[in-house]
Amino acid sequence: MFTMTQPGSANRKPTVFFLFLAGVLIAFLFLSVIFTFSSSNSLPALSRLRSTDACNCNGNNPPRFNLGFDPPVLTFYDDPSFGYTFAKPIKNWDKKRREWLMLHPSFASGSEDRIFLVTGSQSLPCQNPKGDHFLLRFYRNKVDYSRIHGYDIFYNNVLLDPKMVGCWAKLSAVRAAMLAHPEAEWTWWIDEDAVFTDMDFKVPLERYKDQNFVVHGWPREVYEEKNWLGLNAGSFLIRNCQWSLDFLDAWADMGPQSKNHEKWRKILLTTFKHGADDQTALAYLLVKEREDQLRSKVHIEIGYYLEGYWLVIKDTLKNITDKYVDIEKGDKKLRRRHAELVSEKYAKVWEPHLKDAGYGYGSWRRPFVTHFAGCQPCNGKINPSFSRESCWEAMDKVLNYADNQVLRNYGFTHPDLSDPSVVSPL
């Protein structure tokens, strides 16, 4: 029997079959792609989200200090007669501090090398229109240096003793910091207008194992010439001990809050032909007490710029930078990028290259601290020996020079030291 079929029906079944097969293949490929993306490392963030512990990079490492531990044992802080001002003298501080450290063992380890930085400025806005801007940058510089080296810092902008005004205010802040931080062996005062210009350098505390007070200056100028300009009280370190508290008491006794201030004002004016301020008072203590134990506990540092005068330093930075760049080109360790937290390791790599650089005046080593004495960035009462513009220009240059040492760990640099607003990627 002959059966008649419709036109094209002979090819329909193969066509349907191939369409079905193609659909299966597309579905298989789609599922394969989804599986591949979800299980491979091509999207690591997705796989990491499955773990609730993924962000806990430090695991269960204990903190450096146990900040939540303070045993219920009476200490000097519980003594009603204890006070932070010069009106309340402290006795037996070494014993009290030692007992506190025994009760707080996490702070005791390494306390002999621990530095606490103190700085400050006035509480009111600056009269100089650029003053507050510069003070912010000065402070940021100190925070950068402290962070790199693991130091704590206290910025004070109030009068802790209303009568200790102006330059005398630092003594109140330093004393209060010593008592508030028994975990620190050294308290370091640095003026608001001083800049750390070598972010790698650390104070060589081992040099001062027998001293309690360190200040920049020239011993001959102080002890032989009896010149109050032979030192500068804008940057000094003081050991946290009873000797230092007694020393601060004697120093502050010449200040405006003291009943003896008028007597000392006349003595200092006669001795130095200069008004009674913190620096002439310090110079007098050193000059008049040079034969007793006071002088043996004081170190006048001439070996490096614990405090360097800006006029001497500002025009040396170009030559110093060129020297450092040349050295870096020849040592791949110095060119290696690294985390900011390990900067001290790379600072040590520099030392063999700098052994002949010297320190201080005439050196091609980076100056440690540059002090803008006389520029008065806040009140604007600039020393008439130089102009306001010369101060501002130098402050921009020095601050940017220091900032470049910090920014390189973040991948940037100031190409022009005169312009703080512009950075370029390294």
Side-chain angles (χ1 to χ4, degrees):
M1 178 186 231
F2 179 77
T3 305
M4 193 173 186
T5 60
Q6 295 180 359
S9 62
N11 298 325
R12 181 173 296 175
K13 288 183 179 180
T15 300
V16 171
F17 175 76
F18 282 117
L19 287 173
F20 172 78
L21 186 62
V24 170
L25 182 59
I26 290 171
F28 175 77
L29 290 174
F30 178 77
L31 291 174
S32 297
V33 169
I34 294 296
F35 177 78
T36 300
F37 271 90
S38 63
S39 60
S40 72
N41 291 328
S42 59
L43 287 178
L46 291 178
S47 61
R48 287 199 299 268
L49 285 175
R50 297 192 183 98
S51 172
T52 58
D53 299 325
C55 294
N56 187 15
C57 301
N58 291 320
N60 295 316
N61 293 334
R64 180 185 175 195
F65 299 137
N66 191 345
L67 301 179
F69 176 73
D70 193 20
V73 179
L74 294 180
T75 69
F76 60 89
Y77 288 118
D78 299 290
D79 183 353
S81 66
F82 172 80
Y84 296 87
T85 67
F86 286 104
K88 294 189 175 183
I90 302 292
K91 299 299 179 185
N92 300 315
W93 176 242
D94 295 341
K95 180 174 181 290
K96 293 172 180 176
R97 181 172 171 248
R98 186 164 53 247
E99 290 174 347
W100 188 92
L101 286 170
M102 290 177 63
L103 292 171
H104 300 80
S106 72
F107 295 97
S109 177
S111 63
E112 65 278 3
D113 294 324
R114 193 168 297 134
I115 291 176
F116 187 78
L117 202 69
V118 183
T119 187
S121 63
Q122 65 184 42
S123 55
L124 298 176
C126 294
Q127 296 92 324
N128 177 3
K130 289 189 175 183
D132 291 309
H133 170 69
F134 275 119
L135 286 191
L136 177 62
R137 293 174 65 195
F138 279 123
Y139 177 54
R140 187 209 143 183
N141 167 264
K142 296 173 180 66
V143 171
D144 285 338
Y145 181 82
S146 298
R147 183 184 66 254
I148 289 170
H149 295 288
Y151 300 156
D152 289 325
I153 183 171
F154 171 53
Y155 188 95
N156 179 54
N157 68 339
V158 294
L159 290 176
L160 301 183
D161 186 323
K163 293 184 179 180
M164 295 193 76
V165 296
C167 57
W168 291 99
K170 69 180 69 170
L171 302 189
S172 298
V174 167
R175 187 181 193 274
M178 291 169 64
L179 302 181
H181 289 274
E183 81 284 358
E185 181 71 9
W186 292 92
T187 300
W188 184 359
W189 170 266
I190 184 163
D191 278 0
E192 74 273 18
D193 57 353
V195 182
F196 288 106
T197 33
D198 187 347
M199 289 297 181
D200 289 338
F201 190 84
K202 293 182 68 176
V203 170
L205 294 177
E206 65 279 1
R207 295 173 63 156
Y208 316 127
K209 59 184 179 63
D210 297 322
Q211 279 85 40
N212 297 330
F213 186 81
V214 184
V215 64
H216 180 78
W218 297 266
R220 183 179 177 278
E221 288 291 315
V222 175
Y223 296 126
E224 297 181 24
E225 301 297 329
K226 296 180 174 53
N227 184 355
W228 68 278
L229 292 173
L231 52 79
N232 190 289
S235 176
F236 63 82
L237 291 102
I238 188 165
R239 192 185 294 274
N240 199 349
C241 64
Q242 183 65 52
W243 182 97
S244 298
L245 290 176
D246 294 341
F247 179 75
L248 286 175
D249 285 343
W251 192 358
D253 187 55
M254 302 181 185
Q257 91 296 344
S258 170
K259 62 183 181 182
N260 299 316
H261 177 61
E262 184 59 25
K263 178 191 77 172
W264 285 116
R265 187 188 69 80
K266 294 177 181 177
I267 291 174
L268 295 175
L269 185 61
T270 301
T271 304
F272 298 115
K273 304 298 185 291
H274 188 275
D277 60 21
D278 64 318
Q279 191 161 306
T280 54
L282 175 60
Y284 186 87
L285 280 176
L286 301 187
V287 168
K288 295 302 180 181
E289 304 294 338
R290 60 176 296 182
E291 299 301 332
D292 70 3
Q293 64 171 340
L294 189 150
R295 183 183 178 188
S296 67
K297 294 298 181 181
V298 173
H299 186 101
I300 300 180
E301 183 59 76
I302 194 174
Y304 62 91
Y305 277 130
L306 182 61
E307 179 275 340
Y309 190 37
W310 66 278
L311 275 176
V312 175
I313 290 172
K314 67 181 182 70
D315 292 328
T316 67
L317 299 182
K318 175 65 167 61
N319 180 56
I320 292 172
T321 299
D322 292 343
K323 290 275 191 180
Y324 274 67
V325 169
D326 288 343
I327 292 171
E328 198 173 70
K329 288 178 180 178
D331 191 333
K332 64 180 181 181
K333 291 180 182 178
L334 295 173
R335 299 195 304 274
R336 185 188 181 196
R337 287 182 289 189
H338 57 80
E340 184 183 65
L341 197 62
V342 295
S343 294
E344 287 190 359
K345 168 185 169 59
Y346 293 87
K348 293 177 181 178
V349 178
W350 275 104
E351 285 309 307
H353 298 288
L354 301 174
K355 66 181 186 300
D356 298 324
Y359 293 89
Y361 184 75
S363 166
W364 54 266
R365 179 187 286 264
R366 289 171 182 153
F368 182 34
V369 175
T370 303
H371 188 195
F372 283 89
C375 278
Q376 301 291 340
C378 193
N379 65 31
K381 297 177 181 178
I382 294 174
N383 186 315
S385 300
F386 32 83
S387 68
R388 175 181 297 182
E389 288 71 25
S390 65
C391 281
W392 290 352
E393 180 183 339
M395 285 190 283
D396 268 332
K397 184 177 182 179
V398 169
L399 284 163
N400 288 334
Y401 175 81
D403 198 28
N404 273 348
Q405 297 169 52
V406 178
L407 286 177
R408 68 174 296 164
N409 285 325
Y410 296 82
F412 292 88
T413 186
H414 292 289
D416 181 357
L417 295 185
S418 66
D419 189 348
S421 65
V422 177
V423 294
S424 299
L426 291 173

